[in-house]
Amino acid sequence: MEEIIRLAYGETAKKFSISGLKLLGILKPHSYPELKNQQEAIHKAIRNPDYGPPVGDIAQGKKSAVILVSDKTRRTLAREIVPPLLDELSRGGVPSSGITVIIAVGAHPMLTEEEIEHILGSDVVGRVTVVNHDSKDFSSLEYRGVSSRGTPIYINRAFLEAELKIITGSVDYHDFAGLSGGAKSIVPGVSGFSTISHNHLMVLNPSFGEGYNHLATAGVMKGNPVHEDMEEIAELTGPDFIVNVVFNAEGRLSQIASGSDWKRACGAGCKTIERIFSVKARERADVVLVSAGRYPFDINFYQAMKSITNTMDIVKDNGVIVLVASCTEGLELEQFREWLNIESPVNLERVEKKLYYDRKDNIRYEGGTKREKSLDNNRSF
């Protein structure tokens, strides 16, 4: 009998025959229950959170608020979560004219009007101001110094100036930031391009030729320089409330972590993700067949390649990884075409570091240019 396995591919699945092959195992997430009443769970998370007072109470006396939502590469239930957030802000006295929803795209492409309406719904778009974050728009950013790891801090000014700051998103494994959710809504979500570039560059070891930092990987937060830098900068901006969702392997809502203590709330979501998606391989394989997961996780190569990173530790040296991903929107970053043709890891590292410094030198931000230039003394290549 022919042995067939099916792997998620966009909105569908792909079938593969493994007849005649030695199957070492099928690694898949653990089962985890979904929340029975999604709407009820959302309202409870906002009105009776586990980590602090309700949004309506925090909003008392405030005249302005900003809500951060993720772009189309994330599944976050923004369409279901933002309306009750707006209702609670109104109950607290914040006028609709003082509320802005920012699409926290980071350095990803900005969303079209149609994509924004798809994520938020027409009612939200017609009720409050909705804008894309632009990491390269000098006038929309504010300089806040340098992090302890040398990252120049540029944050969306509208977010910083809001009297009430709310972050939303989803918790998932991330290939070099450890886990998503929490601080990632701010860095890279609403950060300047220089901030994003320097933070992401910490995926590499400081000294040239030493390659990738083994702590900057999926599931690792303690000691992960990328993650710790993100949290340090996010803490500086002063988030007031968080709503982070967790989905099980079937894509069903399994948890909503919320409250004014954004770190504890996000941490609770991280623990659940570990329970669902952490698995052990008995041994390394010659060939690993891996799916990036259903849409939107395989929307483009940039997102899909995270599955390659997560699979590298279970394939033998000189083994093969077969990636199953629809990539309906192509590469996302055109630089991948060049990078994929670079045979030497050392040369690729040189390109990545040079790309950051070239871009930084060519982008002048008001207030921080001289302090950024001083960071050049730390170059080690």
XYZ file of all heavy atoms in Angstrom, residues 10 13 16 19 28 37 105 119 148 153 205 221 252 279 292 299:
119
model
N -0.522 26.806 1.843
C -1.463 27.905 1.607
C -2.815 27.606 2.229
O -2.922 27.303 3.415
N -3.555 21.670 0.798
C -2.527 20.753 1.281
C -1.879 20.058 0.090
O -2.475 19.959 -0.987
C -3.119 19.725 2.239
N 2.305 13.709 -0.476
C 3.618 13.176 -0.832
C 3.642 11.673 -0.554
O 3.176 11.220 0.499
C 4.726 13.848 -0.019
C 4.863 15.322 -0.292
C 4.103 16.245 0.402
C 5.746 15.773 -1.265
C 4.213 17.598 0.153
C 5.870 17.130 -1.521
C 5.098 18.049 -0.820
N 6.518 5.909 0.079
C 6.674 4.463 -0.090
C 8.130 4.126 -0.404
O 8.778 4.796 -1.220
C 5.777 3.962 -1.226
O 4.416 4.194 -0.928
N 4.743 16.585 14.858
C 3.604 17.490 14.733
C 3.241 18.049 16.103
O 3.598 17.477 17.142
C 2.408 16.768 14.123
C 1.958 15.526 14.864
C 0.828 14.827 14.111
C 0.377 13.572 14.843
N -0.723 12.886 14.107
N -16.140 29.766 23.552
C -16.863 30.946 23.088
C -15.872 32.070 22.830
O -15.428 32.742 23.755
C -17.909 31.377 24.135
C -18.839 32.460 23.606
O -18.410 33.391 22.935
N -20.126 32.334 23.920
N 3.591 47.470 10.718
C 4.200 46.677 9.647
C 5.704 46.491 9.817
O 6.309 45.679 9.106
C 3.922 47.309 8.263
C 2.445 47.371 7.972
C 4.545 48.695 8.160
N -8.516 43.403 7.365
C -8.006 43.078 8.693
C -8.889 43.637 9.805
O -9.149 42.964 10.809
C -6.561 43.609 8.854
C -5.588 42.781 8.012
C -6.116 43.572 10.327
C -4.175 43.323 8.020
N 20.984 49.520 25.551
C 22.220 49.044 26.177
C 23.051 48.193 25.218
O 24.237 47.990 25.438
C 21.895 48.241 27.440
O 21.139 47.080 27.116
N 17.318 54.154 18.975
C 15.888 53.955 19.219
C 15.059 55.040 18.541
O 15.056 56.198 18.955
C 15.594 53.938 20.733
C 16.426 52.851 21.424
C 14.106 53.718 20.987
C 16.368 52.910 22.940
N 26.785 36.933 15.483
C 27.739 37.207 16.547
C 28.496 38.494 16.228
O 28.709 38.830 15.055
C 28.725 36.047 16.692
C 28.121 34.871 17.431
O 27.653 35.016 18.554
N 28.099 33.704 16.791
N 14.501 32.889 24.856
C 14.327 34.292 25.224
C 15.457 34.771 26.133
O 16.044 35.816 25.905
C 12.962 34.492 25.883
C 11.795 34.297 24.913
S 10.189 34.498 25.712
C 10.082 32.949 26.627
N -7.187 27.174 15.820
C -8.308 27.597 16.651
C -7.788 28.412 17.840
O -6.735 28.096 18.405
C -9.087 26.390 17.173
C -9.567 25.441 16.089
C -10.640 26.075 15.230
N -11.193 25.147 14.261
C -12.137 25.441 13.379
N -12.618 26.676 13.350
N -12.575 24.527 12.533
N 8.421 19.844 20.208
C 8.498 18.395 20.011
C 9.961 17.976 19.970
O 10.851 18.794 19.729
C 7.790 17.969 18.702
C 6.296 18.228 18.788
C 8.387 18.679 17.497
N 5.654 25.015 5.927
C 5.670 26.302 6.618
C 4.358 26.545 7.334
O 4.230 27.499 8.100
C 5.946 27.428 5.622
N 2.943 32.941 3.232
C 2.507 33.956 2.276
C 3.642 34.385 1.350
O 3.419 34.728 0.196
C 1.921 35.175 3.027
C 1.234 36.134 2.047
C 2.984 35.892 3.834
C 0.468 37.252 2.742
